[in-house]
Amino acid sequence: KRSIILLKNEKNILPLSFTGKKVALIGSFADSKDDMFDFWVAQGESKNAVSLREGLQNRFGKDATINFASGYAPDVTANETLITEAVTLAENADIILVNVGLSGKMAGEDRSLAFPEIPAPQVALLQAIKRTGKPVVVLVNSGRPLVLTGIQHLADAILQCWILGTETGNAVADVLSGAYNPSAKTVMTFPYAIGQIPIYYNSFNT
């Protein structure tokens, strides 16, 4: 939880109060244990992991109704049916949490990307959910800084959650509820656009 970075928080939407609320948790990664591990999995085992869905259910299940929709396929391909299901869920919710980003399998050595940005199907999902007019909290999974320019206007709050391992669900639940104040800093540069890369602290751009 000390690694989570608060990137945006319009109108102080965070921390959230879950008591008596209907929560829409959207995003295939939110229900995945395998995607919480990167290349350096070490002794971590997915069977011991707490997914985001489980973490929220464990902490708030007695006080709130938590419903889940994948929103996008596990391989992050476009699927209009999944988007429609997610929007329907969002329309009937008080709190909307959308988990986007990259699988932990895309983090680590020999995992370079030509386009380190939010996948297009996830952007389409956020655009559709934004049209509901309800506040949206975006939870970003990735092992590297991504270009977030395309989604920053689609979210009322953004938490950069990285790839947190076995305790992902519990850590994110602590931050969302305010039990822990997100205190991490951006020790790596987040590019505004792909064309900016490479960018680092002592690079002099002419």
Side-chain angles (χ1 to χ4, degrees):
K1 61 191 177 186
R2 297 204 308 266
S3 301
I4 297 174
I5 304 172
L6 179 64
L7 294 178
K8 182 178 181 179
N9 192 22
E10 279 192 355
K11 299 178 182 178
N12 294 318
I13 185 175
L14 295 177
L16 295 170
S17 173
F18 287 84
T19 304
K21 301 292 180 62
K22 290 189 292 184
V23 181
L25 176 61
I26 298 167
S28 181
F29 295 148
D31 197 35
S32 171
K33 294 174 180 284
D34 292 332
D35 290 301
M36 294 186 293
F37 298 95
D38 64 6
F39 180 85
W40 288 100
V41 64
Q43 299 300 311
E45 295 186 20
S46 58
K47 67 179 181 181
N48 298 324
V50 180
S51 70
L52 179 54
R53 185 180 185 181
E54 288 175 335
L56 292 174
Q57 192 67 50
N58 292 342
R59 177 177 277 273
F60 309 112
K62 295 180 180 179
D63 301 319
T65 302
I66 300 172
N67 297 307
F68 173 78
S70 58
Y72 52 84
D75 60 355
V76 199
T77 53
N79 189 314
E80 288 299 325
T81 300
L82 293 180
I83 291 178
T84 300
E85 291 174 354
V87 169
T88 300
L89 192 68
E91 288 174 337
N92 294 286
D94 302 305
I95 298 172
I96 303 173
L97 307 174
V98 186
N99 191 196
V100 299
L102 302 177
S103 163
K105 302 179 184 70
M106 295 303 297
E109 291 181 74
D110 195 28
R111 302 292 192 275
S112 296
L113 290 176
F115 301 100
E117 53 194 352
I118 300 296
Q122 294 179 351
V123 176
L125 169 67
L126 282 170
Q127 290 172 335
I129 291 175
K130 182 67 174 178
R131 286 194 287 270
T132 66
K134 296 194 174 185
V136 178
V137 177
V138 172
L139 311 169
V140 182
N141 287 352
S142 65
R144 56 170 65 80
L146 301 178
V147 177
L148 301 178
T149 314
I151 69 163
Q152 62 182 10
H153 66 291
L154 301 175
D156 296 277
I158 300 176
L159 285 171
Q160 176 67 40
C161 299
W162 307 109
I163 305 296
L164 295 178
T166 54
E167 289 295 309
T168 293
N170 294 330
V172 176
D174 279 349
V175 170
L176 287 173
S177 67
Y180 184 83
N181 186 43
S183 57
K185 305 296 187 291
T186 53
V187 297
M188 293 179 283
T189 302
F190 282 68
Y192 184 84
I194 294 293
Q196 271 191 302
I197 302 171
I199 42 178
Y200 44 93
Y201 79 99
N202 63 349
S203 173
F204 178 72
N205 294 321
T206 63

